[in-house]
Amino acid sequence: MLKFNSNKFERQMIDLKELMNYLNEALSSLPEDKYLHAFKKRLVEQITERANEITHTGIMDDKVIYDIIVGEHPDIRKEFADFKGEINATRERKSKIRKTILGSALYFAAVILIFLIVSFITHGWRRSWIFLINGFCLYFAYMSANIATEFAGKEKNFKPISRILFAFSVFTFAVPVFLIVLSLRAPHAWLVFIFAILVMFTVDGIFVEKEKIGFAIFFQIGYIVPALTMVYIIAATLGIVHWHPGWIIILLSIPIILAVILYRLSVNKKHKSFSEETEADSEWTEN
Amino acid sequence: MDRKLNAELWDKMHYLFRDFNDRVVHAQFDYDFVIDTEALKTVIICAFEKLPVLHSSFKDNHVSPYWQVNRYKIEDVLTVKEVNDEDVETLSEEFLTGRIEPEDQVQMRFLVLIHGGKSRLCIIENHMCMDGGDFKYFLKDFCRNYNDYSEKKISPLSYRAGKRAYTSVYKDFSNADRKAAQNLYRNINKKDEHAFPFTPDSPEDKSFIAKRTISEDTFLKIKTKGKLLGATINDMLMAAYFYSLYEIAGFSEDESVSISCAIDLRRHIKSVENMGYTNHTSWMQCKIPELGRDIFETLKYVIRSANEFKQDKFMGLYGLPLLSLGYKIMPHAASEEIIKIGYSNPLLAMSNIGILEVDKLALSGHEPTDGFMTGAVKYKPFVLLSATSVRNRLTLSMCVRGNEKDKETVNDFFDKMEKNISVLISE
């Protein structure tokens, strides 16, 4: 079993035998493996550096140096468990990245191969490129949604990136849909993008609510008018409503906005009445 | 290894106050024995090791500032000098009026002057690290650690090393109250143009600390008379402050004037045990509608104004969410500019730091014979009157960057304070 050697600290001119004993004792019952070996190596390096740093300040009392360092490592076994967890997490992350790279390469190879085979067999080069573009777009839509989901689970600063990526994903997904609709010679293919804007507003509205983003209400209210405008354009273009007086759909945003505001106010009022009820029992103390 | 610490809201706010003061908090204690400087060195190093912000430099990153932890030597922090009795005042004043820049390697410095078998301990620290309230806690912890080390050889590492975030003020509220407090966006302090009658600002100005000690007898009378009049010590001092100010500044008697009084936001926290030393201070704007017929009427106005604040359970918490939002949504450089537009630093202020408990500030069984603490050196026209008491003796102090004429004005103000206090406590 690897034992800490106090000779490592000779250049500090201080005796850290006790510190080494503390470390050895804390880790004595653990099985010697590559994790423990790596952990011990790192810990010795850290402690050597820290001991040098403290000695540099001018302190001469070995016991105090011992207590400072021990105080900074109160639970070595937990540190080891964290270290092990960190290594495993890094390994998993690396493996995931490797799998993603390999999967992406295989996916692109398959898309290109299918594109070439289909094109050579059918000689339909004029349309087959759509398959290639769609393959790429679907990949980017999937990847950006995947990264957006991962960022959504991280700290606050990553939320805006997550929202941008979700919007990007929606639009990248709209491209193949648009190309398919266009290749089928269906009318008003451009409506796909109008619909994509509608979806983007909806997804972001749900996201800000679910993730409790500050001032979510302002985003939601802000989205209602443009979202209903998109509904109006789609409905009028498809002949579901007439252009006039179909524009009244946009005016519907006013009662919807009012309803949202009233709902928020009622929720806030509930909080307030809760505060009044519990004030007498609250633990408020004025010093 | 590069170590960085988060710059908290108050760190950034006090950095912004660089236009109003030098951000240095001062303390001075006299002991009737020679301090063991070797033990003191170890105690100081341990305090610095436990509180890394004390050996860090503030990095004014335009996007997000932070503290960079530095290596240091005890010589950067502690100066020990053996001096003659007559040099003590000059040397301690010179040290206390020194500056600590946020970019410096260390944020707290100590001076020990040994003279004729006695010691004077002077300490200065950057207000960005902690306010007067926590500086007092720190000093008590420091002295306890010194005693534990020098008497029992216990490693002097017992300091509060928890969170420094401003949000700690909300932690003991009920859920509903916390939500309400975190939505107090409006600033209730109004701008007041009344100022202390200093000479205009000049590049030749120098920092000075003017102080006046009020005797034990007078201080006890302030307490007793205050109780009779339904006033706290703070109210009594504030009334004398107002009355003296009207006299020296020549304000018209029917003018309404306000003085901001520092309030300790720790009043909202049940226990500070697990929190780091930091800033938790806000302002209560004490406003009187007119001077009043006599100082007793001034006192009534002061009590009325203070009581209005004290009845508010969110006292001192207004505007904090707005500051926090300002720093959150914009890069630091932009948020500083925006906050500067909206923030008005009080021209007239008072900070009642309170009692400096000699039993808790004793070193090796020797209680300090005298001492005081005072706030930062203010740049004209801003002024802060600090009040501390040691052994029932009250010390009033003002730190100003000014000239001899300003020093005379401050001393004249102290004369008037003494005169007005004596009227207040008269039978």
Side-chain angles (χ1 to χ4, degrees):
Chain A
M1 188 172 174
L2 177 77
K3 290 275 178 188
F4 295 113
N5 185 355
S6 62
N7 291 337
K8 284 179 184 288
F9 298 100
E10 272 176 4
R11 59 198 163 98
Q12 289 161 215
M13 309 290 284
I14 52 169
D15 182 12
L16 289 176
K17 260 183 199 162
E18 268 189 67
L19 191 59
M20 295 301 104
N21 291 341
Y22 168 74
L23 301 180
N24 284 326
E25 203 175 302
L27 299 166
S28 61
S29 60
L30 294 172
E32 186 73 20
D33 58 14
K34 58 178 180 177
Y35 289 113
L36 190 63
H37 191 271
F39 174 69
K40 281 179 176 178
K41 195 170 168 250
R42 194 179 76 162
L43 196 60
V44 169
E45 277 168 12
Q46 276 178 357
I47 288 176
T48 309
E49 194 182 329
R50 186 73 182 114
N52 278 333
E53 204 176 86
I54 300 169
T55 320
H56 172 84
T57 62
I59 204 163
M60 299 307 289
D61 190 329
D62 284 5
K63 183 184 171 293
V64 174
I65 296 173
Y66 171 86
D67 285 341
I68 291 174
I69 294 175
V70 167
E72 289 167 3
H73 299 274
D75 191 345
I76 298 215
R77 291 178 80 99
K78 188 183 172 294
E79 270 185 60
F80 176 59
D82 293 345
F83 174 79
K84 219 170 159 180
E86 226 174 80
I87 288 182
N88 288 335
T90 312
R91 189 172 294 161
E92 271 173 35
R93 215 170 30 244
K94 279 183 181 168
S95 152
K96 199 181 166 188
I97 292 170
R98 267 197 301 270
K99 278 180 192 165
T100 309
I101 293 170
L102 188 70
S104 302
L106 287 173
Y107 174 81
F108 282 120
V111 168
I112 294 167
L113 199 68
I114 293 168
F115 160 69
L116 290 173
I117 292 169
V118 171
S119 301
F120 275 115
I121 293 171
T122 62
H123 295 285
W125 294 95
R126 282 186 67 192
R127 282 194 180 184
S128 62
W129 62 271
I130 294 173
F131 176 80
L132 191 66
I133 299 294
N134 283 2
F136 285 2
C137 284
L138 285 175
Y139 173 82
F140 287 119
Y142 167 76
M143 284 306 284
S144 48
N146 219 359
I147 298 168
T149 313
E150 206 160 293
F151 277 8
K154 291 189 179 219
E155 55 190 83
K156 258 185 178 177
N157 294 347
F158 288 95
K159 309 277 182 199
I161 304 172
S162 183
R163 291 167 69 185
I164 292 167
L165 284 172
F166 271 125
F168 179 74
S169 176
V170 169
F171 273 94
T172 325
F173 185 76
V175 174
V177 178
F178 168 72
L179 289 174
I180 290 166
V181 174
L182 196 69
S183 67
L184 295 173
R185 297 185 188 282
H188 314 304
W190 54 273
L191 280 181
V192 170
F193 288 110
I194 301 293
F195 186 71
I197 295 173
L198 184 62
V199 172
M200 189 193 76
F201 283 137
T202 313
V203 167
D204 201 54
I206 295 168
F207 184 90
V208 293
E209 185 66 35
K210 203 173 154 241
E211 296 294 326
K212 295 189 173 70
I213 303 286
F215 304 107
I217 177 90
F218 292 111
F219 291 108
Q220 289 160 345
I221 289 173
Y223 291 161
I224 290 170
V225 177
L228 282 175
T229 310
M230 301 304 143
V231 172
Y232 162 62
I233 295 170
I234 294 166
T237 309
L238 295 177
I240 299 166
V241 295
H242 291 289
W243 286 100
H244 177 77
W247 53 269
I248 289 173
I249 292 176
I250 301 172
L251 290 186
L252 278 178
S253 54
I254 298 170
I256 295 174
I257 287 171
L258 284 174
V260 171
I261 292 171
L262 285 174
Y263 169 73
R264 286 283 175 182
L265 285 175
S266 73
V267 169
N268 285 349
K269 205 176 171 188
K270 259 186 206 167
H271 277 294
K272 207 178 169 190
S273 58
F274 172 71
S275 159
E276 280 161 8
E277 279 164 21
T278 56
E279 196 172 349
D281 307 322
S282 76
E283 293 171 327
W284 170 262
T285 48
E286 182 91 14
N287 292 338
Chain B
M1 204 193 330
D2 259 9
R3 275 174 76 199
K4 288 178 185 173
L5 308 172
N6 191 30
E8 300 295 344
L9 173 88
W10 285 118
D11 304 357
K12 292 185 244 182
M13 273 307 279
H14 279 278
Y15 183 66
L16 184 142
F17 294 162
R18 61 190 175 275
D19 295 341
F20 316 125
N21 63 59
D22 73 351
R23 298 173 304 252
V24 178
V25 186
H26 317 82
Q28 177 182 298
F29 299 101
D30 288 318
Y31 293 93
D32 62 357
F33 80 111
V34 177
I35 295 174
D36 176 353
T37 50
E38 281 310 310
L40 192 72
K41 279 180 190 174
T42 305
V43 179
I44 291 172
I45 291 170
C46 285
F48 272 52
E49 290 307 315
K50 285 292 281 183
L51 311 168
V53 74
L54 296 180
H55 57 101
S56 303
S57 322
F58 185 76
K59 299 289 174 187
D60 183 11
N61 183 294
H62 291 321
V63 179
S64 175
Y66 57 92
W67 292 97
Q68 172 86 53
V69 181
N70 302 312
R71 285 190 135 199
Y72 66 98
K73 286 185 173 171
I74 188 66
E75 292 80 21
D76 305 329
V77 185
L78 172 69
T79 309
V80 181
K81 285 179 182 169
E82 281 194 38
V83 296
N84 298 322
D85 288 346
E86 58 269 25
D87 296 330
V88 173
E89 288 305 325
T90 324
L91 288 170
S92 44
E93 165 108 12
E94 198 179 288
F95 175 79
L96 289 174
T97 51
R99 290 176 68 98
I100 294 181
E101 301 299 341
E103 301 79 20
D104 285 358
Q105 294 291 98
V106 294
Q107 301 299 326
M108 185 181 277
R109 289 202 181 98
F110 294 72
L111 170 74
V112 177
L113 297 175
I114 296 165
H115 59 103
K118 297 176 190 169
S119 309
R120 171 168 285 187
L121 176 64
C122 302
I123 309 161
I124 54 173
E125 63 101 7
N126 186 348
H127 208 317
M128 290 164 69
C129 299
M130 66 184 98
D131 57 14
D134 261 347
F135 193 29
K136 242 168 56 164
Y137 280 115
F138 169 81
L139 290 172
K140 285 188 264 186
D141 290 343
F142 183 83
C143 293
R144 181 174 35 79
N145 274 299
Y146 174 93
N147 295 331
D148 285 348
Y149 182 65
S150 59
E151 289 161 16
K152 301 174 207 159
K153 285 289 161 204
I154 297 171
S155 293
L157 294 163
S158 163
Y159 292 95
R160 289 166 22 207
K163 260 175 73 176
R164 297 182 63 246
Y166 86 99
T167 46
S168 303
V169 292
Y170 302 124
K171 76 180 175 76
D172 290 328
F173 282 123
S174 65
N175 285 340
D177 281 345
R178 187 180 306 120
K179 197 174 160 69
Q182 285 171 338
N183 281 311
L184 299 171
Y185 285 96
R186 75 197 156 95
N187 181 10
I188 55 168
N189 290 335
K190 302 279 180 291
K191 197 171 181 175
D192 188 328
E193 297 294 344
H194 290 94
F196 207 81
F198 285 129
T199 58
D201 207 6
S202 156
E204 280 82 46
D205 286 343
K206 282 187 182 141
S207 300
F208 65 84
I209 299 175
K211 55 181 194 285
R212 184 68 55 96
T213 306
I214 309 286
S215 69
E216 185 178 345
D217 179 47
T218 309
F219 186 54
L220 292 173
K221 279 183 183 163
I222 294 174
K223 278 189 198 171
T224 323
K225 194 66 191 287
K227 272 183 191 162
L228 276 174
L229 297 168
T232 61
I233 298 172
N234 207 59
D235 296 335
M236 298 285 275
L237 291 177
M238 193 63 110
Y241 189 169
F242 270 116
Y243 215 80
S244 312
L245 188 69
Y246 272 79
E247 285 179 351
I248 63 154
F251 300 149
S252 161
E253 288 185 9
D254 54 4
E255 271 181 82
S256 171
V257 174
S258 55
I259 296 174
S260 294
C261 184
I263 43 174
D264 191 347
L265 296 180
R266 290 171 195 83
R267 65 174 55 238
H268 300 297
I269 303 168
K270 277 183 199 160
S271 167
V272 291
E273 281 311 303
N274 297 318
M275 289 162 44
Y277 305 98
T278 186
N279 285 279
H280 280 303
T281 310
S282 184
W283 296 113
M284 165 182 90
Q285 200 174 34
C286 186
K287 188 174 185 175
I288 59 169
E290 55 171 7
L291 179 61
R293 285 184 302 273
D294 53 25
I295 194 166
F296 294 98
E297 194 166 19
T298 312
L299 179 66
K300 274 183 195 162
Y301 291 142
V302 169
I303 296 170
R304 194 171 68 193
S305 177
N307 283 346
E308 273 173 28
F309 273 92
K310 286 176 192 167
Q311 278 160 14
D312 185 351
K313 68 175 170 183
F314 297 126
M315 181 184 182
L317 300 178
Y318 292 86
L320 271 182
L322 189 64
L323 285 179
S324 163
L325 182 72
Y327 280 119
K328 255 184 216 164
I329 62 173
M330 285 177 284
H332 181 243
S335 56
E336 269 214 327
E337 293 308 315
I338 301 292
I339 289 168
K340 269 183 196 170
I341 296 168
Y343 178 80
S344 73
N345 197 54
L347 286 164
L348 300 162
M350 187 175 100
S351 173
N352 182 1
I353 298 167
I355 305 166
L356 301 174
E357 297 147 287
V358 285
D359 55 332
K360 289 180 179 149
L361 293 166
L363 295 178
S364 303
H366 299 261
E367 291 180 350
T369 52
D370 201 359
F372 75 100
M373 261 178 73
T374 185
V377 173
K378 296 276 179 177
Y379 303 151
K380 293 184 289 188
F382 302 99
V383 75
L384 173 83
L385 172 70
S386 301
T388 51
S389 71
V390 171
R391 297 185 174 278
N392 278 323
R393 281 194 305 271
L394 179 71
T395 302
L396 300 174
S397 57
M398 267 189 189
C399 306
V400 181
R401 193 174 69 180
N403 53 31
E404 282 304 313
K405 178 82 179 70
D406 296 319
K407 206 180 256 185
E408 275 173 34
T409 311
V410 174
N411 282 323
D412 183 28
F413 168 75
F414 284 146
D415 290 341
K416 293 202 162 36
M417 279 284 287
E418 277 196 281
K419 182 198 79 181
N420 289 319
I421 287 170
S422 64
V423 176
L424 258 180
I425 59 173
S426 60
E427 295 306 319

